Amino acid sequence: MSHQTHHMPKQLAAVDPIVVALRSEVEPIVSDGTRFRFGICIIEALTNLVTHAAVDTSETAIEIRMNLKNGYVKIEIFDPLGAAPFDPCSAAKNLSEIDGMAEGGRGIGLIMECSDAAQYGPSGDRNSLKLEFWDADDAASPQSENGAET
């Protein structure tokens, strides 16, 4: 399994370049469909974190850790130091309940719908959002590993 760590400034202008970099890392690992779902979730998660995580300074970096193996990606996105906890998993709305004309409100629902597993909670001195993606027909999914989290 391959492990990568990235740091992104808490700035909207930094979201697109890091998403491009992360997608290029998972390109040889997962199928086009899984990579597409991964991209949607990462854009939404990072944009929401930059936009809504209240911290004392915008200089605080967002840490991103990825574990990759054939057909499987686990990504952990850490809240910036000092950010108040916010569990996006508990705030997700069913996409069918969102006003079609509303400008926002779909991001968390998209994350929950497009990821294969999502979990938010304490991780060391911060909170993090853990997302998992696997190719549906690949034996690398976590279920094939005796239920153990990777």
PDB file of all heavy atoms in Angstrom, residues 5-39:
ATOM      1  N   THR A   5       1.147  12.143   1.902  1.00  0.00           N
ATOM      2  CA  THR A   5       0.653  13.232   2.729  1.00  0.00           C
ATOM      3  C   THR A   5       0.824  14.526   1.948  1.00  0.00           C
ATOM      4  O   THR A   5       1.872  14.762   1.340  1.00  0.00           O
ATOM      5  CB  THR A   5       1.415  13.322   4.058  1.00  0.00           C
ATOM      6  OG1 THR A   5       1.251  12.090   4.763  1.00  0.00           O
ATOM      7  CG2 THR A   5       0.890  14.467   4.913  1.00  0.00           C
ATOM      8  N   HIS A   6      -0.215  15.351   1.966  1.00  0.00           N
ATOM      9  CA  HIS A   6      -0.199  16.650   1.295  1.00  0.00           C
ATOM     10  C   HIS A   6      -0.644  17.709   2.289  1.00  0.00           C
ATOM     11  O   HIS A   6      -1.387  17.426   3.225  1.00  0.00           O
ATOM     12  CB  HIS A   6      -1.162  16.667   0.100  1.00  0.00           C
ATOM     13  CG  HIS A   6      -0.844  15.653  -0.940  1.00  0.00           C
ATOM     14  ND1 HIS A   6       0.023  15.906  -1.969  1.00  0.00           N
ATOM     15  CD2 HIS A   6      -1.273  14.382  -1.107  1.00  0.00           C
ATOM     16  CE1 HIS A   6       0.113  14.836  -2.723  1.00  0.00           C
ATOM     17  NE2 HIS A   6      -0.663  13.892  -2.229  1.00  0.00           N
ATOM     18  N   HIS A   7      -0.218  18.941   2.053  1.00  0.00           N
ATOM     19  CA  HIS A   7      -0.672  20.084   2.841  1.00  0.00           C
ATOM     20  C   HIS A   7      -1.194  21.137   1.876  1.00  0.00           C
ATOM     21  O   HIS A   7      -0.558  21.418   0.861  1.00  0.00           O
ATOM     22  CB  HIS A   7       0.461  20.642   3.699  1.00  0.00           C
ATOM     23  CG  HIS A   7       0.878  19.692   4.770  1.00  0.00           C
ATOM     24  ND1 HIS A   7       1.851  18.743   4.564  1.00  0.00           N
ATOM     25  CD2 HIS A   7       0.431  19.514   6.030  1.00  0.00           C
ATOM     26  CE1 HIS A   7       1.998  18.031   5.669  1.00  0.00           C
ATOM     27  NE2 HIS A   7       1.144  18.476   6.571  1.00  0.00           N
ATOM     28  N   MET A   8      -2.351  21.684   2.202  1.00  0.00           N
ATOM     29  CA  MET A   8      -2.982  22.677   1.343  1.00  0.00           C
ATOM     30  C   MET A   8      -3.294  23.915   2.174  1.00  0.00           C
ATOM     31  O   MET A   8      -3.844  23.807   3.266  1.00  0.00           O
ATOM     32  CB  MET A   8      -4.292  22.092   0.784  1.00  0.00           C
ATOM     33  CG  MET A   8      -5.012  23.025  -0.175  1.00  0.00           C
ATOM     34  SD  MET A   8      -6.666  22.419  -0.580  1.00  0.00           S
ATOM     35  CE  MET A   8      -7.613  23.327   0.652  1.00  0.00           C
ATOM     36  N   PRO A   9      -2.938  25.099   1.673  1.00  0.00           N
ATOM     37  CA  PRO A   9      -3.331  26.315   2.395  1.00  0.00           C
ATOM     38  C   PRO A   9      -4.856  26.419   2.465  1.00  0.00           C
ATOM     39  O   PRO A   9      -5.556  25.947   1.572  1.00  0.00           O
ATOM     40  CB  PRO A   9      -2.753  27.452   1.559  1.00  0.00           C
ATOM     41  CG  PRO A   9      -2.022  26.853   0.427  1.00  0.00           C
ATOM     42  CD  PRO A   9      -2.234  25.387   0.433  1.00  0.00           C
ATOM     43  N   LYS A  10      -5.354  27.016   3.498  1.00  0.00           N
ATOM     44  CA  LYS A  10      -6.803  27.197   3.664  1.00  0.00           C
ATOM     45  C   LYS A  10      -7.258  28.370   2.792  1.00  0.00           C
ATOM     46  O   LYS A  10      -7.631  29.427   3.273  1.00  0.00           O
ATOM     47  CB  LYS A  10      -7.157  27.421   5.130  1.00  0.00           C
ATOM     48  CG  LYS A  10      -8.649  27.398   5.411  1.00  0.00           C
ATOM     49  CD  LYS A  10      -8.933  27.635   6.885  1.00  0.00           C
ATOM     50  CE  LYS A  10     -10.396  27.813   7.146  1.00  0.00           C
ATOM     51  NZ  LYS A  10     -11.005  28.965   6.528  1.00  0.00           N
ATOM     52  N   GLN A  11      -7.208  28.143   1.485  1.00  0.00           N
ATOM     53  CA  GLN A  11      -7.563  29.164   0.497  1.00  0.00           C
ATOM     54  C   GLN A  11      -8.305  28.496  -0.653  1.00  0.00           C
ATOM     55  O   GLN A  11      -7.902  27.427  -1.124  1.00  0.00           O
ATOM     56  CB  GLN A  11      -6.312  29.852  -0.049  1.00  0.00           C
ATOM     57  CG  GLN A  11      -5.474  30.503   1.011  1.00  0.00           C
ATOM     58  CD  GLN A  11      -4.097  30.874   0.492  1.00  0.00           C
ATOM     59  OE1 GLN A  11      -3.713  30.554  -0.620  1.00  0.00           O
ATOM     60  NE2 GLN A  11      -3.337  31.569   1.330  1.00  0.00           N
ATOM     61  N   LEU A  12      -9.368  29.134  -1.125  1.00  0.00           N
ATOM     62  CA  LEU A  12     -10.140  28.566  -2.231  1.00  0.00           C
ATOM     63  C   LEU A  12      -9.290  28.351  -3.481  1.00  0.00           C
ATOM     64  O   LEU A  12      -9.474  27.363  -4.198  1.00  0.00           O
ATOM     65  CB  LEU A  12     -11.340  29.455  -2.573  1.00  0.00           C
ATOM     66  CG  LEU A  12     -12.548  29.321  -1.658  1.00  0.00           C
ATOM     67  CD1 LEU A  12     -13.637  30.304  -2.060  1.00  0.00           C
ATOM     68  CD2 LEU A  12     -13.089  27.900  -1.678  1.00  0.00           C
ATOM     69  N   ALA A  13      -8.349  29.242  -3.738  1.00  0.00           N
ATOM     70  CA  ALA A  13      -7.494  29.115  -4.923  1.00  0.00           C
ATOM     71  C   ALA A  13      -6.630  27.860  -4.873  1.00  0.00           C
ATOM     72  O   ALA A  13      -6.126  27.410  -5.905  1.00  0.00           O
ATOM     73  CB  ALA A  13      -6.621  30.351  -5.081  1.00  0.00           C
ATOM     74  N   ALA A  14      -6.451  27.271  -3.706  1.00  0.00           N
ATOM     75  CA  ALA A  14      -5.611  26.079  -3.567  1.00  0.00           C
ATOM     76  C   ALA A  14      -6.385  24.785  -3.816  1.00  0.00           C
ATOM     77  O   ALA A  14      -5.778  23.732  -4.003  1.00  0.00           O
ATOM     78  CB  ALA A  14      -4.997  26.052  -2.169  1.00  0.00           C
ATOM     79  N   VAL A  15      -7.715  24.843  -3.847  1.00  0.00           N
ATOM     80  CA  VAL A  15      -8.524  23.624  -3.971  1.00  0.00           C
ATOM     81  C   VAL A  15      -8.313  22.943  -5.320  1.00  0.00           C
ATOM     82  O   VAL A  15      -7.991  21.755  -5.382  1.00  0.00           O
ATOM     83  CB  VAL A  15     -10.020  23.912  -3.710  1.00  0.00           C
ATOM     84  CG1 VAL A  15     -10.869  22.681  -4.004  1.00  0.00           C
ATOM     85  CG2 VAL A  15     -10.235  24.379  -2.268  1.00  0.00           C
ATOM     86  N   ASP A  16      -8.490  23.654  -6.411  1.00  0.00           N
ATOM     87  CA  ASP A  16      -8.383  23.025  -7.733  1.00  0.00           C
ATOM     88  C   ASP A  16      -7.014  22.376  -7.973  1.00  0.00           C
ATOM     89  O   ASP A  16      -6.954  21.232  -8.419  1.00  0.00           O
ATOM     90  CB  ASP A  16      -8.712  24.015  -8.849  1.00  0.00           C
ATOM     91  CG  ASP A  16     -10.212  24.281  -8.976  1.00  0.00           C
ATOM     92  OD1 ASP A  16     -11.014  23.500  -8.427  1.00  0.00           O
ATOM     93  OD2 ASP A  16     -10.571  25.277  -9.627  1.00  0.00           O
ATOM     94  N   PRO A  17      -5.906  23.064  -7.685  1.00  0.00           N
ATOM     95  CA  PRO A  17      -4.607  22.416  -7.925  1.00  0.00           C
ATOM     96  C   PRO A  17      -4.399  21.138  -7.104  1.00  0.00           C
ATOM     97  O   PRO A  17      -3.851  20.162  -7.614  1.00  0.00           O
ATOM     98  CB  PRO A  17      -3.581  23.489  -7.546  1.00  0.00           C
ATOM     99  CG  PRO A  17      -4.316  24.784  -7.655  1.00  0.00           C
ATOM    100  CD  PRO A  17      -5.741  24.478  -7.309  1.00  0.00           C
ATOM    101  N   ILE A  18      -4.842  21.133  -5.856  1.00  0.00           N
ATOM    102  CA  ILE A  18      -4.642  19.918  -5.043  1.00  0.00           C
ATOM    103  C   ILE A  18      -5.554  18.798  -5.528  1.00  0.00           C
ATOM    104  O   ILE A  18      -5.162  17.631  -5.550  1.00  0.00           O
ATOM    105  CB  ILE A  18      -4.809  20.189  -3.527  1.00  0.00           C
ATOM    106  CG1 ILE A  18      -4.256  19.014  -2.701  1.00  0.00           C
ATOM    107  CG2 ILE A  18      -6.246  20.401  -3.142  1.00  0.00           C
ATOM    108  CD1 ILE A  18      -2.778  18.933  -2.643  1.00  0.00           C
ATOM    109  N   VAL A  19      -6.765  19.136  -5.975  1.00  0.00           N
ATOM    110  CA  VAL A  19      -7.670  18.104  -6.499  1.00  0.00           C
ATOM    111  C   VAL A  19      -7.069  17.481  -7.751  1.00  0.00           C
ATOM    112  O   VAL A  19      -7.089  16.251  -7.915  1.00  0.00           O
ATOM    113  CB  VAL A  19      -9.081  18.679  -6.765  1.00  0.00           C
ATOM    114  CG1 VAL A  19      -9.940  17.694  -7.544  1.00  0.00           C
ATOM    115  CG2 VAL A  19      -9.753  19.060  -5.455  1.00  0.00           C
ATOM    116  N   VAL A  20      -6.503  18.295  -8.631  1.00  0.00           N
ATOM    117  CA  VAL A  20      -5.847  17.776  -9.837  1.00  0.00           C
ATOM    118  C   VAL A  20      -4.699  16.844  -9.443  1.00  0.00           C
ATOM    119  O   VAL A  20      -4.545  15.745 -10.005  1.00  0.00           O
ATOM    120  CB  VAL A  20      -5.356  18.930 -10.746  1.00  0.00           C
ATOM    121  CG1 VAL A  20      -4.435  18.422 -11.839  1.00  0.00           C
ATOM    122  CG2 VAL A  20      -6.543  19.680 -11.338  1.00  0.00           C
ATOM    123  N   ALA A  21      -3.898  17.249  -8.472  1.00  0.00           N
ATOM    124  CA  ALA A  21      -2.768  16.425  -8.029  1.00  0.00           C
ATOM    125  C   ALA A  21      -3.250  15.101  -7.424  1.00  0.00           C
ATOM    126  O   ALA A  21      -2.697  14.036  -7.732  1.00  0.00           O
ATOM    127  CB  ALA A  21      -1.921  17.195  -7.026  1.00  0.00           C
ATOM    128  N   LEU A  22      -4.270  15.164  -6.587  1.00  0.00           N
ATOM    129  CA  LEU A  22      -4.780  13.949  -5.943  1.00  0.00           C
ATOM    130  C   LEU A  22      -5.398  12.998  -6.971  1.00  0.00           C
ATOM    131  O   LEU A  22      -5.183  11.789  -6.919  1.00  0.00           O
ATOM    132  CB  LEU A  22      -5.799  14.302  -4.860  1.00  0.00           C
ATOM    133  CG  LEU A  22      -5.257  15.097  -3.667  1.00  0.00           C
ATOM    134  CD1 LEU A  22      -6.397  15.542  -2.760  1.00  0.00           C
ATOM    135  CD2 LEU A  22      -4.226  14.299  -2.897  1.00  0.00           C
ATOM    136  N   ARG A  23      -6.167  13.558  -7.908  1.00  0.00           N
ATOM    137  CA  ARG A  23      -6.772  12.720  -8.955  1.00  0.00           C
ATOM    138  C   ARG A  23      -5.694  12.041  -9.799  1.00  0.00           C
ATOM    139  O   ARG A  23      -5.846  10.891 -10.193  1.00  0.00           O
ATOM    140  CB  ARG A  23      -7.707  13.539  -9.837  1.00  0.00           C
ATOM    141  CG  ARG A  23      -9.074  13.775  -9.213  1.00  0.00           C
ATOM    142  CD  ARG A  23      -9.994  14.542 -10.148  1.00  0.00           C
ATOM    143  NE  ARG A  23     -10.031  14.006 -11.484  1.00  0.00           N
ATOM    144  CZ  ARG A  23     -10.983  13.203 -11.960  1.00  0.00           C
ATOM    145  NH1 ARG A  23     -11.975  12.850 -11.193  1.00  0.00           N
ATOM    146  NH2 ARG A  23     -10.940  12.766 -13.202  1.00  0.00           N
ATOM    147  N   SER A  24      -4.597  12.744 -10.067  1.00  0.00           N
ATOM    148  CA  SER A  24      -3.533  12.124 -10.871  1.00  0.00           C
ATOM    149  C   SER A  24      -2.870  10.976 -10.110  1.00  0.00           C
ATOM    150  O   SER A  24      -2.431  10.002 -10.712  1.00  0.00           O
ATOM    151  CB  SER A  24      -2.510  13.162 -11.315  1.00  0.00           C
ATOM    152  OG  SER A  24      -1.751  13.622 -10.229  1.00  0.00           O
ATOM    153  N   GLU A  25      -2.812  11.083  -8.784  1.00  0.00           N
ATOM    154  CA  GLU A  25      -2.232  10.002  -7.985  1.00  0.00           C
ATOM    155  C   GLU A  25      -3.110   8.760  -7.972  1.00  0.00           C
ATOM    156  O   GLU A  25      -2.605   7.641  -7.935  1.00  0.00           O
ATOM    157  CB  GLU A  25      -1.978  10.475  -6.548  1.00  0.00           C
ATOM    158  CG  GLU A  25      -0.827  11.433  -6.436  1.00  0.00           C
ATOM    159  CD  GLU A  25      -0.528  11.838  -5.013  1.00  0.00           C
ATOM    160  OE1 GLU A  25      -0.764  11.021  -4.092  1.00  0.00           O
ATOM    161  OE2 GLU A  25      -0.057  12.972  -4.818  1.00  0.00           O
ATOM    162  N   VAL A  26      -4.426   8.939  -7.993  1.00  0.00           N
ATOM    163  CA  VAL A  26      -5.324   7.783  -7.949  1.00  0.00           C
ATOM    164  C   VAL A  26      -5.635   7.233  -9.342  1.00  0.00           C
ATOM    165  O   VAL A  26      -6.180   6.141  -9.461  1.00  0.00           O
ATOM    166  CB  VAL A  26      -6.639   8.084  -7.187  1.00  0.00           C
ATOM    167  CG1 VAL A  26      -6.351   8.566  -5.775  1.00  0.00           C
ATOM    168  CG2 VAL A  26      -7.519   9.062  -7.920  1.00  0.00           C
ATOM    169  N   GLU A  27      -5.258   7.969 -10.385  1.00  0.00           N
ATOM    170  CA  GLU A  27      -5.590   7.552 -11.759  1.00  0.00           C
ATOM    171  C   GLU A  27      -5.164   6.119 -12.075  1.00  0.00           C
ATOM    172  O   GLU A  27      -5.965   5.347 -12.601  1.00  0.00           O
ATOM    173  CB  GLU A  27      -5.000   8.526 -12.773  1.00  0.00           C
ATOM    174  CG  GLU A  27      -5.384   8.191 -14.194  1.00  0.00           C
ATOM    175  CD  GLU A  27      -4.986   9.268 -15.180  1.00  0.00           C
ATOM    176  OE1 GLU A  27      -4.357  10.259 -14.789  1.00  0.00           O
ATOM    177  OE2 GLU A  27      -5.329   9.101 -16.354  1.00  0.00           O
ATOM    178  N   PRO A  28      -3.928   5.719 -11.776  1.00  0.00           N
ATOM    179  CA  PRO A  28      -3.556   4.343 -12.121  1.00  0.00           C
ATOM    180  C   PRO A  28      -4.091   3.296 -11.142  1.00  0.00           C
ATOM    181  O   PRO A  28      -3.946   2.097 -11.374  1.00  0.00           O
ATOM    182  CB  PRO A  28      -2.027   4.374 -12.087  1.00  0.00           C
ATOM    183  CG  PRO A  28      -1.684   5.492 -11.164  1.00  0.00           C
ATOM    184  CD  PRO A  28      -2.799   6.497 -11.283  1.00  0.00           C
ATOM    185  N   ILE A  29      -4.730   3.735 -10.069  1.00  0.00           N
ATOM    186  CA  ILE A  29      -5.131   2.834  -8.991  1.00  0.00           C
ATOM    187  C   ILE A  29      -6.585   2.384  -9.115  1.00  0.00           C
ATOM    188  O   ILE A  29      -6.916   1.241  -8.804  1.00  0.00           O
ATOM    189  CB  ILE A  29      -4.927   3.532  -7.610  1.00  0.00           C
ATOM    190  CG1 ILE A  29      -3.495   4.015  -7.449  1.00  0.00           C
ATOM    191  CG2 ILE A  29      -5.348   2.637  -6.462  1.00  0.00           C
ATOM    192  CD1 ILE A  29      -2.453   2.933  -7.452  1.00  0.00           C
ATOM    193  N   VAL A  30      -7.483   3.299  -9.521  1.00  0.00           N
ATOM    194  CA  VAL A  30      -8.912   2.984  -9.564  1.00  0.00           C
ATOM    195  C   VAL A  30      -9.498   3.262 -10.949  1.00  0.00           C
ATOM    196  O   VAL A  30      -8.895   3.962 -11.760  1.00  0.00           O
ATOM    197  CB  VAL A  30      -9.703   3.776  -8.488  1.00  0.00           C
ATOM    198  CG1 VAL A  30      -9.292   3.358  -7.081  1.00  0.00           C
ATOM    199  CG2 VAL A  30      -9.531   5.278  -8.663  1.00  0.00           C
ATOM    200  N   SER A  31     -10.684   2.746 -11.174  1.00  0.00           N
ATOM    201  CA  SER A  31     -11.372   2.915 -12.453  1.00  0.00           C
ATOM    202  C   SER A  31     -11.822   4.363 -12.653  1.00  0.00           C
ATOM    203  O   SER A  31     -11.841   5.154 -11.714  1.00  0.00           O
ATOM    204  CB  SER A  31     -12.592   1.997 -12.505  1.00  0.00           C
ATOM    205  OG  SER A  31     -13.559   2.430 -11.564  1.00  0.00           O
ATOM    206  N   ASP A  32     -12.209   4.674 -13.882  1.00  0.00           N
ATOM    207  CA  ASP A  32     -12.682   6.025 -14.209  1.00  0.00           C
ATOM    208  C   ASP A  32     -13.862   6.428 -13.333  1.00  0.00           C
ATOM    209  O   ASP A  32     -13.923   7.553 -12.847  1.00  0.00           O
ATOM    210  CB  ASP A  32     -13.079   6.122 -15.684  1.00  0.00           C
ATOM    211  CG  ASP A  32     -11.895   6.049 -16.628  1.00  0.00           C
ATOM    212  OD1 ASP A  32     -10.743   6.218 -16.169  1.00  0.00           O
ATOM    213  OD2 ASP A  32     -12.118   5.814 -17.834  1.00  0.00           O
ATOM    214  N   GLY A  33     -14.816   5.536 -13.139  1.00  0.00           N
ATOM    215  CA  GLY A  33     -15.997   5.853 -12.333  1.00  0.00           C
ATOM    216  C   GLY A  33     -15.660   6.142 -10.883  1.00  0.00           C
ATOM    217  O   GLY A  33     -16.178   7.082 -10.285  1.00  0.00           O
ATOM    218  N   THR A  34     -14.774   5.347 -10.318  1.00  0.00           N
ATOM    219  CA  THR A  34     -14.357   5.566  -8.929  1.00  0.00           C
ATOM    220  C   THR A  34     -13.576   6.862  -8.819  1.00  0.00           C
ATOM    221  O   THR A  34     -13.761   7.630  -7.876  1.00  0.00           O
ATOM    222  CB  THR A  34     -13.518   4.375  -8.428  1.00  0.00           C
ATOM    223  OG1 THR A  34     -14.305   3.184  -8.547  1.00  0.00           O
ATOM    224  CG2 THR A  34     -13.096   4.560  -6.981  1.00  0.00           C
ATOM    225  N   ARG A  35     -12.717   7.135  -9.797  1.00  0.00           N
ATOM    226  CA  ARG A  35     -11.944   8.386  -9.801  1.00  0.00           C
ATOM    227  C   ARG A  35     -12.872   9.594  -9.918  1.00  0.00           C
ATOM    228  O   ARG A  35     -12.657  10.623  -9.269  1.00  0.00           O
ATOM    229  CB  ARG A  35     -10.914   8.362 -10.929  1.00  0.00           C
ATOM    230  CG  ARG A  35      -9.896   9.471 -10.834  1.00  0.00           C
ATOM    231  CD  ARG A  35      -8.744   9.306 -11.807  1.00  0.00           C
ATOM    232  NE  ARG A  35      -9.148   9.151 -13.193  1.00  0.00           N
ATOM    233  CZ  ARG A  35      -9.126   7.999 -13.865  1.00  0.00           C
ATOM    234  NH1 ARG A  35      -8.724   6.894 -13.286  1.00  0.00           N
ATOM    235  NH2 ARG A  35      -9.525   7.950 -15.116  1.00  0.00           N
ATOM    236  N   PHE A  36     -13.933   9.482 -10.711  1.00  0.00           N
ATOM    237  CA  PHE A  36     -14.908  10.566 -10.846  1.00  0.00           C
ATOM    238  C   PHE A  36     -15.591  10.839  -9.497  1.00  0.00           C
ATOM    239  O   PHE A  36     -15.683  11.989  -9.062  1.00  0.00           O
ATOM    240  CB  PHE A  36     -15.942  10.197 -11.910  1.00  0.00           C
ATOM    241  CG  PHE A  36     -17.019  11.236 -12.101  1.00  0.00           C
ATOM    242  CD1 PHE A  36     -16.754  12.409 -12.782  1.00  0.00           C
ATOM    243  CD2 PHE A  36     -18.294  11.030 -11.587  1.00  0.00           C
ATOM    244  CE1 PHE A  36     -17.743  13.375 -12.952  1.00  0.00           C
ATOM    245  CE2 PHE A  36     -19.284  11.986 -11.750  1.00  0.00           C
ATOM    246  CZ  PHE A  36     -19.010  13.159 -12.429  1.00  0.00           C
ATOM    247  N   ARG A  37     -16.043   9.782  -8.824  1.00  0.00           N
ATOM    248  CA  ARG A  37     -16.683   9.939  -7.503  1.00  0.00           C
ATOM    249  C   ARG A  37     -15.709  10.536  -6.498  1.00  0.00           C
ATOM    250  O   ARG A  37     -16.061  11.413  -5.707  1.00  0.00           O
ATOM    251  CB  ARG A  37     -17.208   8.592  -6.992  1.00  0.00           C
ATOM    252  CG  ARG A  37     -18.328   8.024  -7.808  1.00  0.00           C
ATOM    253  CD  ARG A  37     -18.922   6.730  -7.244  1.00  0.00           C
ATOM    254  NE  ARG A  37     -17.977   5.622  -7.166  1.00  0.00           N
ATOM    255  CZ  ARG A  37     -17.464   5.127  -6.034  1.00  0.00           C
ATOM    256  NH1 ARG A  37     -17.818   5.622  -4.860  1.00  0.00           N
ATOM    257  NH2 ARG A  37     -16.615   4.110  -6.055  1.00  0.00           N
ATOM    258  N   PHE A  38     -14.463  10.075  -6.536  1.00  0.00           N
ATOM    259  CA  PHE A  38     -13.408  10.592  -5.672  1.00  0.00           C
ATOM    260  C   PHE A  38     -13.249  12.098  -5.883  1.00  0.00           C
ATOM    261  O   PHE A  38     -13.222  12.875  -4.916  1.00  0.00           O
ATOM    262  CB  PHE A  38     -12.095   9.857  -5.982  1.00  0.00           C
ATOM    263  CG  PHE A  38     -10.877  10.422  -5.323  1.00  0.00           C
ATOM    264  CD1 PHE A  38     -10.540  10.059  -4.035  1.00  0.00           C
ATOM    265  CD2 PHE A  38     -10.050  11.314  -6.000  1.00  0.00           C
ATOM    266  CE1 PHE A  38      -9.400  10.578  -3.423  1.00  0.00           C
ATOM    267  CE2 PHE A  38      -8.915  11.832  -5.409  1.00  0.00           C
ATOM    268  CZ  PHE A  38      -8.589  11.461  -4.113  1.00  0.00           C
ATOM    269  N   GLY A  39     -13.168  12.525  -7.142  1.00  0.00           N
ATOM    270  CA  GLY A  39     -12.994  13.946  -7.448  1.00  0.00           C
ATOM    271  C   GLY A  39     -14.124  14.805  -6.921  1.00  0.00           C
ATOM    272  O   GLY A  39     -13.891  15.870  -6.343  1.00  0.00           O
TER     273      GLY A  39
END
